[in-house]
Amino acid sequence: MSGHGEDHELRADLAAAFRWFARLGMHESVANHFSVATSPDGRRFLMNPRGIHFARVRASDLMLLDADGPDTLRRSDAPDPTAWYIHGRLHRRVPRARCVMHLHPRFATALAALADSRMPPIDQNTMRFFERMVIDEGFGGMALSDEEGDRLAGVLGDARVLLMGNHGVLVAGPSIAATFDDLYYFERACETL
């Protein structure tokens, strides 16, 4: 991993998060994405490349991207377009979101697909998210534009958990560990329901 300098610890921690979510069965092969900011303003960030299974992501695989990079999707090693439009815009517009994790885990996705996706505070796990999550009911298909990324950033607002209606869940936190913890317990809370 030489050449990655100050990002070494972030790379190792994010790669470990991918592998742990694969072990927990909370991944969809290669169709989910995580990122972590490397610059103070959040615009430079690490993200998983397109097409690598969560169980195989290594620290050295993570791509260093710039949210302001206009040619990112033209690169030969371009990231998944939906990942780019979601994470690039969130890191650009929500600098407090140091780490962003987006998954389609079984129970959170089931809750997201219900007509009423609210989470009542019925146990310790669900109570943790009472009035701390927002629900996006405007899902219109794949996130393939800056406008959709900006819309998601606006819906997220000051919340850390965004339940994406008919889609999945996105968690934006201050660190990899805190984001992992919120995402793990959010799925456990959804399982209770």
Side-chain angles (χ1 to χ4, degrees), residues 163-179:
L163 186 63
M164 303 168 83
N166 299 310
H167 186 170
V169 62
L170 181 143
V171 177
S175 68
I176 295 167
T179 307

Side-chain angles (χ1 to χ4, degrees), residues 17 22 24 36 43 63 66 68 78 82 88 96 104 130 149 168 188:
L24 294 168
V36 64
R43 291 178 182 226
M63 304 175 70
D66 186 327
D68 296 318
T82 60
R96 67 163 182 80
H104 312 128
F130 183 64
R188 294 300 298 266

Side-chain angles (χ1 to χ4, degrees), residues 17 20-26 34 101-103 105-108 119 125-126 128-129 160-161 169-171 176-192:
W20 266 110
F21 277 118
R23 287 179 181 173
L24 294 168
M26 291 173 58
F34 297 169
M101 295 183 176
H102 170 55
L103 290 175
R106 181 180 315 145
F107 296 101
M119 179 179 286
N125 287 338
T126 55
R128 174 179 177 161
F129 299 101
R160 283 178 48 171
V161 177
V169 62
L170 181 143
V171 177
I176 295 167
T179 307
F180 182 101
D181 192 63
D182 276 346
L183 187 49
Y184 173 80
Y185 279 105
F186 189 79
E187 176 67 356
R188 294 300 298 266
C190 291
E191 189 174 359
T192 302

Side-chain angles (χ1 to χ4, degrees), residues 4-185:
H4 297 303
E6 299 170 9
D7 300 338
H8 175 75
E9 188 173 337
L10 290 174
R11 285 176 175 277
D13 289 350
L14 194 60
F18 283 108
R19 288 173 177 249
W20 266 110
F21 277 118
R23 287 179 181 173
L24 294 168
M26 291 173 58
H27 63 295
E28 291 289 322
S29 183
V30 297
N32 296 249
H33 21 88
F34 297 169
S35 61
V36 64
T38 62
S39 63
D41 65 2
R43 291 178 182 226
R44 289 179 55 84
F45 60 96
L46 295 168
M47 188 170 66
N48 53 307
R50 178 178 17 194
I52 297 180
H53 192 279
F54 270 30
R56 298 180 54 109
V57 173
R58 299 172 306 186
S60 59
D61 293 327
L62 298 171
M63 304 175 70
L64 181 60
L65 302 173
D66 186 327
D68 296 318
D71 297 325
T72 300
L73 291 179
R74 293 189 193 109
R75 294 167 42 162
S76 61
D77 65 342
D80 176 85
T82 60
W84 168 250
Y85 287 116
I86 292 172
H87 293 256
R89 300 311 285 181
L90 280 170
H91 283 297
R92 192 167 196 259
R93 298 213 30 209
V94 187
R96 67 163 182 80
R98 303 302 296 166
C99 181
V100 177
M101 295 183 176
H102 170 55
L103 290 175
H104 312 128
R106 181 180 315 145
F107 296 101
T109 302
L111 179 61
L114 296 177
D116 181 357
S117 296
R118 291 177 295 175
M119 179 179 286
I122 59 173
D123 73 343
Q124 285 183 214
N125 287 338
T126 55
M127 198 174 330
R128 174 179 177 161
F129 299 101
F130 183 64
E131 296 185 350
R132 293 188 55 229
M133 62 175 267
V134 293
I135 302 168
D136 173 23
E137 296 177 347
F139 179 64
M142 304 273 282
L144 293 172
S145 69
D146 287 340
E147 293 75 23
E148 178 62 6
D150 289 342
R151 187 188 71 76
L152 290 170
V155 174
L156 177 66
D158 293 330
R160 283 178 48 171
V161 177
L162 172 62
L163 186 63
M164 303 168 83
N166 299 310
H167 186 170
V169 62
L170 181 143
V171 177
S175 68
I176 295 167
T179 307
F180 182 101
D181 192 63
D182 276 346
L183 187 49
Y184 173 80
Y185 279 105

